[in-house]
Amino acid sequence: MTKKIAIIGVFTCILYFISVGLFLITKEEAALTIWELMTCLSAPVELLVLSELSNLVNATAIYKNAMLVFMACACALTSVAHIVNIAVTRRLINEGINVPEYFRIGFWPSVEMAIDYLAWGFFVGLAFLCIGFATNSKDKQKLMIKVTVLV
């Protein structure tokens, strides 16, 4: 199962960067939607990858559960921010309603951007710290995992 999750993680990462590139090249609304949906999809995939990493490093239950809670918060927050942007904010803009920049993704300061930064910067960071602190092995592979997730 670990190899399948790793392949899914790499594949999702590649698709994510393709969607970013597609938007940066075309600047189309459809490309932005694909990018935002890939962002929503990448959070649960990252949860699966970190869950497999915690199994690989034999993380104790407290670290694994904390990591799962932090990643669940990240998944929920980033999904809420992007789904609201897709379903509400952009729809209002397309109907000609003036939506202030502080309610739009891509502008700062913005409520939606703050929620997204909280998800990816804070909760994903805490999840990575849980995996890093749970790794206490002299094994070279596990030591590399610890260095990677703590950096």
Side-chain angles (χ1 to χ4, degrees), residues 1-20:
M1 179 88 142
T2 302
K3 189 167 185 168
K4 283 183 182 178
I5 297 296
I7 290 170
I8 290 169
V10 169
F11 185 68
T12 303
C13 187
I14 291 168
L15 285 178
Y16 179 81
F17 284 112
I18 288 171
S19 68
V20 171

Side-chain angles (χ1 to χ4, degrees), residues 99-115:
V99 177
E101 289 181 355
Y102 53 84
F103 284 121
R104 297 170 61 187
I105 281 189
F107 298 93
W108 185 256
S110 162
V111 174
E112 290 178 357
M113 288 298 290
I115 291 170

Side-chain angles (χ1 to χ4, degrees), residues 53-98:
L53 270 178
S54 69
N55 292 337
L56 183 68
V57 300
N58 299 321
T60 60
I62 187 91
Y63 285 114
K64 185 172 182 171
N65 290 339
M67 180 274 302
L68 291 172
V69 167
F70 292 141
M71 277 307 300
C73 289
C75 291
L77 288 173
T78 198
S79 293
V80 163
H82 288 283
I83 297 300
V84 164
N85 191 56
I86 292 168
V88 177
T89 308
R90 285 202 269 147
R91 178 176 282 173
L92 291 174
I93 292 168
N94 289 339
E95 291 175 2
I97 297 173
N98 185 20

